Amino acid sequence: MNNISEDQRPNALSSLTALGEKSSWQQVQWRHFKALGLPTAKDEDWKYTSLEGFLNLPLRSPSRDDIHTVSIESLTIGFDCYRIVLFNGQLIREMSDPIPGVNVDNIDHISDAKQQLLNAAVKPEAFSLLTDATATSGLFIEVAKKQRIDKPIYLFHINSGEHGDLCSYRHHITVGDQAECSVFEHHTSLAQGGGVTCARLTASVGANAQFNHLKLIEESHQQHHFGHNDIVLSRDAQASSHTFLLEGQVNRHHTSAVLAGTGSHIEMNSLSLPTSGQTFDTRTYLDHHSAHCTSEQAHKVIGKGDSTAVFNGMIYVHKGAIKTDGQMDNHNLLLDDKAQVNSKPQLEIYADDVKCSHGATTGQLDKNQLFYLQARGIPKQLAEKMVTFAFAGELTDAIDDLNVREHIVRRIEQKIESER
């Protein structure tokens, strides 16, 4: 088996205990985590994603002394935004922008009522609980009723990339009724030593409100990243969630959402580009709780070398959620014979008068498309690149900001051209 055995778990829990925080809400999550425990090779949901590398790391709290020696501008994406910088698990206030008219609190200084929101989860799992229990920094952002944030909030996370460093972040965003807010969550590394990032972001979206979220993971090739985003929508709310997994040793990312109010809508997309020796695992859970709600999902994998990718998605339709329209597609492109992808889209429906569908395809580059381009004088290597970019284009085209889109497209191009 490639995952951890029963006798490894006590040692793993012991090392993690030393990193846990002592806030009251974190103690609650730590107890839940200990009761659930770390996954083992017997857990079906972890069949294709090994924790062996994670458990062999000498986990420790990272140093925070060298942030002022870091060239932030060389790492950040230059676009019009409110930038908030977080380094090695800590908020760097002097490098962060104020957001006019928006209440932003550190999770260390919030009320009991807000702490209860941090404890809430759509579909908790081991690493979402571990993230909460070990988070050393995070923001509680409140967008007032009818307020429109004129620029995206850019949560820029930097880790040192040192071997064994564990950085945990816990963010929550409340978007008031008829308000509008966009958040860009970005994770990157300074070095290639290989540590761990745990990140959880939750959002409560009010009635007739709009929330847009984009997450980009381009950390060290040796980094482990465990992420979980939760979005809960009220009546007639609109939301989008785009996730790009571009770099890391093991990336396992969950997006969970509840359409809690009538007439709400969500769009959930992801793109994974694992290369040799990397495992990228994308999971979604979409709870259609109310009537007349709609959802659209598009999840894609471009696999290279001997990489491993996983997609597991669930659409759950409650009794009474009539007129539900939920669509989920997973399409996978394997550029090498050794690349593998394991896909499991699922539907669970307990309501009448609904329209739900899911589909999955896996294949290599279309020879007919390549022949068509080559017949028109396009070299084979360029033709392969054009077809691959067209496959990814459906997801990158949905990025509103031109500078962000160009950065992600450039990174995709670098990964596609590497090892070729």
Side-chain angles (χ1 to χ4, degrees), residues 103-135:
N103 185 42
V104 180
D105 291 325
N106 196 296
I107 57 170
D108 294 335
H109 309 290
I110 57 175
S111 65
D112 291 342
K114 291 179 180 179
Q115 289 182 10
Q116 290 179 11
L117 283 175
L118 295 182
N119 285 145
V122 174
K123 193 173 178 60
E125 42 86 26
F127 279 89
S128 69
L129 296 170
L130 178 62
T131 302
D132 288 357
T134 59

Side-chain angles (χ1 to χ4, degrees), residues 163-221:
H163 191 63
D165 282 356
L166 172 65
C167 302
S168 292
Y169 303 95
R170 178 66 174 93
H171 304 299
H172 179 81
I173 299 165
T174 296
V175 185
D177 295 349
Q178 302 177 55
E180 184 175 337
C181 176
S182 295
V183 172
F184 176 23
E185 186 183 355
H186 185 193
H187 295 264
T188 190
S189 302
L190 296 180
Q192 296 294 318
V196 179
T197 301
C198 291
R200 190 156 105 85
L201 182 146
T202 54
S204 303
V205 188
N208 288 287
Q210 174 77 45
F211 175 67
N212 302 306
H213 176 258
L214 186 150
K215 182 170 182 177
L216 172 61
I217 303 172
E218 50 174 355
E219 296 177 303
S220 157
H221 190 83

